[in-house]
């Protein structure tokens, strides 16, 4: 796949053009950092020679120049980052599947994140970007980067202290089955509710209205807790083959995934620390491995349809 991209002359021309912009942005940022450093050096020298006015004037001149340059180049940097996503990443995705599209400013809507029931608390702060969508045989799928957080407020002698806690930083993957499930079935990491329950202030998914589903796969039951309001449907969805595939998928991830089957969709949450599809500023665009990490995560998401055998629709329409 990398060789196809590296021999794609149209894509290489785009990269060469963007590389000129990248160098200009990187050089300007470096100049800004030097000017900020110089501002503090001049301030210190002014005090050391006991003529603070010289220090303040030098600090102001260097600092203001650096700030003006920084804000001038920031607009160029934003355009460069958007151009990288729309002209480089989006084009490279076609090497995985022609149907794949990238919409940088879109993501997974907050209401859908909440209705997925993957997590037991509503976010107080929610960011999402880089929506990628496509089809694999019969199955439509889409995924986006999400950073969802909730806050806790504690009274202290100095006032109220607000702390932010991550619900999910990673990717949420969605596949459409074209068939409504009667109830929701949710598979979460074992101990998830117990470990964090004391923090949860707003229950979205009420454990009281759901029963724990005991499944025949002991390894699956040791890693995941499964909840559903309909035991029969839960077992119909989580066949022995599906459980094995979810375990295999989970074993390829650094952290335990969460899965839900709701309405006509399957949701999977992948906790990930890396921020994908971002244009480099201080390293070259002409690196042959430039897109390796980005394309590997897209390929991984794309292949979930095969991994979980979602095109064999035992519970859906043909």
């Amino acid at each position: 796949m990398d060789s196809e991209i590296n021999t794609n002359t149209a894509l290489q021309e785009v990269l060469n053009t963007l590389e000129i912009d990248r160098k200009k942005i990187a050089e300007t940022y470096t100049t800004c950092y030097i000017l900020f450093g110089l501002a503090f050096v001049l301030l210190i020298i002014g005090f050391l020679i006991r003529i603070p006015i010289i220090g303040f004037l030098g600090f102001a001149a260097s600092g203001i120049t650096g700030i003006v340059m920084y804000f001038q180049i920031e607009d160029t940097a934003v355009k460069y980052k958007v151009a990288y996503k729309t002209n480089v990443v989006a084009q490279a995705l076609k090497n995985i599947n022609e149907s794949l599209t990238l919409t940088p400013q879109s993501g997974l809507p907050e209401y859908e994140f909440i209705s997925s029931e993957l997590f037991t608390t509503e976010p107080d702060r929610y960011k999402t970007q880089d929506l990628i969508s496509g089809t694999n045989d019969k199955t439509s799928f889409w995924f986006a980067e999400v950073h969802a957080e909730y806050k806790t407020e504690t009274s202290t002698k100095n006032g109220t202290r607000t702390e932010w806690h991550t619900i999910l930083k990673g990717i949420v993957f969605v596949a459409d089955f074209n068939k409504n499930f009667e109830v929701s079935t949710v598979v979460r990491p074992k101990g998830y509710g117990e470990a964090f329950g004391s923090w949860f202030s707003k229950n979205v998914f009420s454990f009281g209205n759901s029963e724990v589903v005991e499944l025949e796969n002991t390894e699956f039951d040791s890693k995941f807790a499964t909840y559903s309001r309909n035991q029969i449907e839960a077992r119909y969805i989580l066949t022995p083959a599906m459980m094995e595939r979810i375990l295999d998928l989970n074993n390829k991830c650094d952290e335990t995934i969460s899965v839900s089957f709701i309405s006509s969709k399957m949701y999977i949450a992948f906790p990930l620390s890396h921020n994908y599809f971002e244009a480099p500023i201080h390293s070259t665009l002409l690196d042959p491995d430039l897109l390796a990490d980005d394309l590997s995560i897209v390929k991984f998401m794309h292949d979930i349809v095969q991994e979980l055998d979602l095109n064999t629709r035992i519970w859906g329409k043909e």
Side-chain angles (χ1 to χ4, degrees):
M1 189 186 298
D2 285 344
S3 60
E4 287 176 43
I5 290 160
N6 296 330
T7 55
N8 183 326
T9 50
L11 193 56
Q12 292 307 311
E13 280 178 27
V14 172
L15 286 168
N16 287 329
T17 306
L18 283 175
E19 177 68 1
I20 296 164
D21 294 339
R22 185 202 66 78
K23 283 181 178 174
K24 178 188 169 189
I25 294 162
E27 285 164 8
T28 307
Y29 277 144
T30 302
T31 305
C32 291
Y33 303 146
I34 291 167
L35 285 168
F36 294 146
L38 182 63
F40 284 103
V41 169
L42 290 171
L43 185 64
I44 292 163
I45 289 170
F47 278 98
L48 288 174
I49 63 173
R50 297 187 177 178
I51 312 175
I53 188 67
I54 290 176
F56 281 121
L57 288 171
F59 176 81
S62 291
I64 290 167
T65 305
I67 289 166
V68 169
M69 286 179 70
Y70 187 90
F71 280 106
Q72 281 178 338
I73 202 66
E74 191 68 4
D75 189 45
T76 306
V78 168
K79 287 176 182 169
Y80 158 75
K81 288 174 183 177
V82 171
Y84 174 78
K85 286 183 180 183
T86 52
N87 299 333
V88 177
V89 179
Q91 188 57 43
L93 295 183
K94 303 294 182 187
N95 288 277
I96 297 171
N97 181 322
E98 272 294 329
S99 73
L100 289 175
T101 59
L102 168 65
T103 316
Q105 306 306 322
S106 293
L108 187 80
E110 187 174 357
Y111 73 84
E112 190 165 17
F113 178 85
I114 293 167
S115 65
S116 74
E117 298 186 15
L118 289 165
F119 299 96
T120 53
T121 195
E122 276 189 38
D124 294 307
R125 189 161 65 188
Y126 185 82
K127 294 176 188 168
T128 182
Q129 63 174 353
D130 297 333
L131 177 70
I132 292 177
S133 54
T135 55
N136 187 335
D137 196 3
K138 301 167 192 169
T139 305
S140 299
F141 65 92
W142 56 98
F143 58 92
E145 290 185 86
V146 166
H147 189 193
E149 301 167 282
Y150 69 97
K151 67 179 177 182
T152 55
E153 293 180 339
T154 315
S155 295
T156 67
K157 61 183 180 183
N158 300 320
T160 304
R161 186 179 71 208
T162 302
E163 290 183 293
W164 289 94
H165 312 271
T166 294
I167 300 168
L168 174 73
K169 186 177 190 302
I171 287 175
V172 176
F173 172 93
V174 191
D176 200 338
F177 285 105
N178 301 314
K179 163 76 166 66
N180 277 329
F181 303 118
E182 286 182 18
V183 299
S184 55
T185 296
V186 181
V187 177
R188 288 210 194 90
K190 199 85 167 188
Y192 177 86
E194 296 91 329
F196 299 104
S198 59
W199 290 109
F200 292 143
S201 54
K202 304 171 195 164
N203 281 319
V204 176
F205 185 82
S206 172
F207 290 98
N209 295 333
S210 261
E211 295 175 28
V212 174
V213 182
E214 296 293 336
L215 298 157
E216 281 95 60
N217 188 319
T218 51
E219 187 189 354
F220 192 88
D221 269 351
S222 71
K223 280 199 168 64
F224 300 105
T226 304
Y227 304 91
S228 182
R229 297 177 188 86
N230 185 327
Q231 298 266 331
I232 294 167
E233 186 175 71
R235 288 190 177 89
Y236 188 51
I237 295 166
L238 293 167
T239 61
M242 177 61 91
M243 285 188 282
E244 284 297 337
R245 290 184 185 113
I246 290 173
L247 281 169
D248 288 344
L249 187 66
N250 187 62
N251 289 337
K252 293 177 181 175
C253 302
D254 293 334
E255 294 189 51
T256 309
I257 63 176
S258 301
V259 185
S260 66
F261 301 84
I262 302 215
S263 299
S264 64
K265 299 185 181 79
M266 175 192 205
Y267 295 88
I268 312 176
F270 295 89
L272 297 163
S273 55
H274 186 71
N275 193 11
Y276 292 91
F277 320 120
E278 298 304 319
I281 298 285
H282 297 289
S283 58
T284 180
L285 287 172
L286 306 181
D287 178 353
D289 297 323
L290 171 72
L291 292 160
D293 286 347
D294 289 349
L295 294 184
S296 70
I297 194 71
V298 173
K299 183 85 166 61
F300 180 82
M301 295 292 155
H302 172 270
D303 291 350
I304 287 170
V305 174
Q306 260 86 36
E307 289 267 339
L308 299 182
D309 196 23
L310 302 185
N311 285 317
T312 304
R313 303 197 161 198
I314 56 166
W315 54 73
K317 295 174 185 172
E318 282 300 316

